[in-house]
Amino acid sequence: MLCRKETNRDRRCPLSAETAFDDTAAPATQHPHHSPRTLHSALLRIAPAIGLFAAARLTGLVLMSVWAWHIGRQPRAILGRAWDADWYMLIAEHGYGRVLTWPGAVQSDLAFFPLYPGLVRGLSYAVPDRITSGSIGLLISWSAALVAAAGIYAVGERLHGRRTATVLVLLWGLLPHSVVLTMAYTEPLLTAFAAWALYALLTRRWLWAGGLAALAGLSRPNGIAVAAAVLCVVAYELVRGGSGGHGGHGDRRRRGGRRDPRLWAAAALAPTGWCGYVLWVGFRTGDPLGGYFAVQRGWTSTFDFGAGAARVVRDIALRPVALPLTMALLIVLVSTVLFVLLVLARPPAALLVYTGVLVLITLGGSGFFESKPRFLLPAFPLLLPVALALTRARPRAAIAVIAALAGLSFGYGTYLLTLSPMAL
């Protein structure tokens, strides 16, 4: 697709699904059927970004593996069965029903959403028995991370062009917690669905957006953020479709908005994944509306508008704490600043709502403060202000920043997986 810089004349309402580019600026995104030549061109455009992302994550993986072997640990076991990954693999192998009781906590595997372990279980029937569920989980996670990187590039290119999109993908691969993208965790899967759902909204592919939002809702609890973005954009399109106009093609399209069944279908489809699983857990536990949230409280995880997080911040300020807690606080603070910068940049509402819900869930939730940076991994639009700044910066300055991020990502990722006393 071809991109050009935005002007004041081009700027449209930020609530619209339409971007700042005119219909002729991105012909490849306007039609569901592309010629092989167009697809080949798209692959050539995206290849540098995917190559840089893969190189970043592979470098981090190699460094972590070397250190793990040095201290007598097995990298594949760390990546495929550590912490939450073990819960997912046990669900894939045996189904739901595992409960662990600790002082002050009752941990049920019903807290884990079903799509990822379902994919692991399904794929296990198609591979030789000697391939373990952990290896299958890693294959799914690595594939999802590449699909997510491609989706992030597509969103970035649609909004700001190829250079910014490439930097955006690289930054996402060099976050301090990006080591999670190489683990048997669900963040890569959620980000893949989210990125392509946002791209579908930007290009007005309503059914794709609704379907991908439903799958995102089956992936993780904060997958509801994708459904929120779809519902917000669809609601605006429906309201705009019923507004008056002054004639012309644009007004005809707006007047037909409420009659477009795809909008209604997307709105109905988007929350089905998340709501369906929450209701299923509720019926299984005997409390249809509150059962899932009771399960989360058993993990000391509730939404208390930040009260629990504030207590942890107080403890961090008053006494020595483990490094992951301090780093989590710094990353949350930086993410908050980046969200403010994103709001000031007036991105399309799809990105703003999606990112805002992720940030709200992260800041307002209690329990496992050290995991908050991981919860923010899918919030890739937060990196757009940084990507734009690096694109406009002098090459030496941009390279220095990226090199520093790479060092932090590789070193801290290795620490998290091999030395940290706290769960990721």
Side-chain angles (χ1 to χ4, degrees):
M1 80 186 69
L2 301 175
C3 300
R4 61 181 174 83
K5 291 184 178 180
E6 177 186 294
T7 64
N8 291 332
R9 179 176 58 85
D10 296 323
R11 181 175 287 279
R12 302 177 183 178
C13 176
L15 288 176
S16 173
E18 301 175 49
T19 66
F21 307 119
D22 59 27
D23 293 339
T24 62
T29 65
Q30 303 301 322
H31 306 287
H33 304 292
H34 308 311
S35 68
R37 185 175 180 180
T38 302
L39 292 175
H40 178 70
S41 176
L43 290 175
L44 289 178
R45 289 200 312 274
I46 202 172
I50 299 300
L52 288 171
F53 172 80
R57 294 313 330 132
L58 183 60
T59 302
L61 178 62
V62 169
L63 292 176
M64 187 281 298
S65 299
V66 170
W67 179 253
W69 283 319
H70 174 71
I71 62 175
R73 300 185 62 184
Q74 291 296 322
R76 190 172 66 171
I78 295 173
L79 296 170
R81 301 295 301 219
W83 301 307
D84 287 0
D86 191 49
W87 285 89
Y88 283 116
M89 296 309 112
L90 290 172
I91 294 170
E93 294 162 359
H94 309 292
Y96 285 100
R98 184 187 185 208
V99 177
L100 296 181
T101 302
W102 305 90
V106 178
Q107 297 177 335
S108 167
D109 58 8
L110 292 173
F112 297 91
F113 276 53
L115 182 57
Y116 181 61
L119 290 174
V120 174
R121 187 179 185 90
L123 191 57
S124 68
Y125 294 116
V127 300
D129 292 339
R130 65 178 180 274
I131 300 179
T132 65
S133 57
S135 298
I136 297 172
L138 289 176
L139 176 62
I140 293 173
S141 294
W142 294 349
S143 300
L146 292 176
V147 174
I152 292 171
Y153 177 89
V155 172
E157 185 189 43
R158 178 80 183 179
L159 296 176
H160 299 292
R162 295 174 60 180
R163 290 182 60 194
T164 300
T166 301
V167 174
L168 179 65
V169 171
L170 181 58
L171 288 174
W172 187 63
L174 292 177
L175 290 173
H177 277 66
S178 59
V179 67
V180 173
L181 303 176
T182 52
M183 298 179 67
Y185 268 49
T186 52
E187 277 74 16
L189 194 64
L190 170 59
T191 310
F193 290 133
W196 284 108
L198 293 175
Y199 181 76
L201 288 174
L202 293 176
T203 55
R204 309 176 70 83
R205 290 175 169 88
W206 307 121
L207 293 181
W208 275 106
L212 290 168
L215 292 172
L218 285 170
S219 304
R220 285 193 52 77
N222 53 358
I224 191 64
V226 188
V230 173
L231 291 173
C232 177
V233 173
V234 167
Y236 175 77
E237 292 292 327
L238 291 173
V239 171
R240 189 178 69 156
S243 63
H246 301 288
H249 173 73
D251 292 314
R252 285 197 300 273
R253 182 168 61 182
R254 285 192 288 269
R255 286 197 295 271
R258 289 185 178 179
R259 294 192 297 270
D260 189 345
R262 294 171 299 178
L263 286 169
W264 294 99
L269 188 59
T272 55
W274 191 89
C275 293
Y277 182 69
V278 168
L279 289 174
W280 180 80
V281 172
F283 281 109
R284 176 160 174 156
T285 58
D287 182 2
L289 297 181
Y292 170 77
F293 302 101
V295 168
Q296 288 288 1
R297 285 195 296 273
W299 285 79
T300 69
S301 179
T302 60
F303 188 84
D304 58 4
F305 298 95
R311 290 192 292 270
V312 176
V313 172
R314 180 195 60 195
D315 292 340
I316 294 174
L318 294 179
R319 60 177 63 93
V321 295
L323 177 60
L325 286 175
T326 303
M327 280 293 295
L329 176 58
L330 292 175
I331 291 170
V332 167
L333 292 175
V334 171
S335 298
T336 304
V337 173
L338 290 177
F339 181 68
V340 172
L341 295 177
L342 182 68
V343 172
L344 295 177
R346 297 183 63 201
L351 273 68
L352 191 59
V353 172
Y354 166 72
T355 310
V357 172
L358 287 178
V359 171
L360 177 63
I361 292 173
T362 302
L363 296 182
S366 65
F368 301 104
F369 189 89
E370 63 276 11
S371 296
K372 288 185 182 295
R374 174 167 63 85
F375 300 158
L376 288 170
L377 266 180
F380 67 89
L382 289 174
L383 301 172
L384 274 171
V386 183
L388 284 167
L390 290 178
T391 303
R392 297 164 182 165
R394 293 183 177 180
R396 283 188 178 181
I399 291 173
V401 171
I402 290 173
L405 286 174
L408 174 62
S409 177
F410 302 153
Y412 189 60
T414 298
Y415 165 80
L416 285 175
L417 293 191
T418 60
L419 298 174
S420 173
M422 311 184 78
L424 188 58

